[in-house]
Amino acid sequence: FGGALIWLAVCRIPAVSQSMEVRVLISSFMVTSYTWAAAYEFWRGRSEPLVSRWPAIFMLFAHGSLFLLRTPLYTMMPWIPDTQVFESVWLTVLSFEALLFTIAIAFILLAMAKERTELLHKTAALVDPLTGIPNRRAFLEGADAMSQRIDADPRPAAVLLADLDHFKTINDSYGHALGDRVLRLFAETAGAKISPADLLGRLGGEEFAIALYDV
């Protein structure tokens, strides 16, 4: 919406409205800016592990870069009705690229939506919704992977089992909301004390497990 308002405003300037070259220059920069801004938004969300994100970033950045070529190409091909401007090889290449980009980006966005849905389902199956740490299933899978790593490269390991004392009393005396807060606080505290190679999981209720690698 902002780009449309800018375009309407600048087109009221005589120097712009009377010059096709200036209008092509401004429109090319506007389209490139929007395309690169979209690529930047995908780049900002790279913490979400989506493989299809990277082709989208590359295609948006490349398309925006190629769009700027329309300006110098236009200056070399005056817009006169009887010229053979439409027979230019470069214009054909750019038009074909725009067509391919439109088709490819649509498929990439569909793939990204499908991948994000699968990631959400996988996260829901492996992450405890209350504490945000691995649930019992994910902890056992992670512990199995750690065991295989230790078999390949023997290292000392330790397993801690944590059961919060008098947790039922907390729920009965202060309510389940405070009990949930206690569980989250324990998970945050324990998670901050272990290394990235270690594993923390909630087995169920107030029971937690911690697998320590190379300890």
Side-chain angles (χ1 to χ4, degrees):
F1 184 71
L5 291 179
I6 294 174
W7 177 255
L8 291 175
V10 298
C11 283
R12 296 181 64 86
I13 302 175
V16 176
S17 61
Q18 297 174 7
S19 174
M20 178 67 77
E21 293 183 5
V22 175
R23 293 202 300 275
V24 170
L25 177 65
I26 294 175
S27 62
S28 296
F29 272 107
M30 290 177 64
V31 172
T32 299
S33 298
Y34 273 108
T35 307
W36 284 356
Y40 176 69
E41 287 299 317
F42 281 117
W43 172 260
R44 274 182 33 177
R46 62 189 181 280
S47 58
E48 187 180 18
L50 298 178
V51 177
S52 54
R53 176 186 310 279
W54 303 106
I57 293 174
F58 172 78
M59 291 197 63
L60 287 167
F61 183 80
H63 180 66
S65 301
L66 289 174
F67 214 94
L68 290 179
L69 290 177
R70 286 163 171 75
T71 300
L73 287 175
Y74 180 81
T75 59
M76 294 185 295
M77 297 182 298
W79 195 268
I80 303 174
D82 57 357
T83 60
Q84 302 298 318
V85 63
F86 291 107
E87 296 181 4
S88 167
V89 175
W90 281 108
L91 187 61
T92 302
V93 170
L94 291 175
S95 300
F96 187 64
E97 181 276 332
L99 177 62
L100 288 179
F101 168 80
T102 304
I103 298 174
I105 199 66
F107 279 101
I108 289 176
L109 293 179
L110 286 174
M112 188 179 299
K114 181 175 181 293
E115 189 178 1
R116 177 176 284 115
T117 301
E118 293 175 350
L119 179 63
L120 291 174
H121 290 165
K122 181 179 179 180
T123 301
L126 299 177
V127 175
D128 177 55
L130 177 62
T131 60
I133 64 175
N135 58 16
R136 181 187 184 92
R137 174 185 173 185
F139 178 82
L140 293 177
E141 291 180 358
D144 182 62
M146 182 183 293
S147 176
Q148 295 179 14
R149 188 163 71 243
I150 293 174
D151 290 340
D153 181 20
R155 299 279 181 174
V159 177
L160 306 180
L161 298 178
D163 189 305
L164 305 188
D165 292 338
H166 311 297
F167 183 73
K168 184 176 185 301
T169 303
I170 296 176
N171 279 334
D172 293 341
S173 302
Y174 303 103
H176 289 279
L178 186 62
D180 291 346
R181 184 178 175 187
V182 169
L183 294 175
R184 288 193 295 267
L185 180 61
F186 176 83
E188 293 171 3
T189 304
K193 299 297 183 180
I194 62 177
S195 72
D198 299 331
L199 183 63
L200 168 66
R202 183 184 179 194
L203 301 184
E206 71 277 19
E207 298 175 353
F208 296 82
I210 305 173
L212 304 176
Y213 179 73
D214 199 13
V215 174

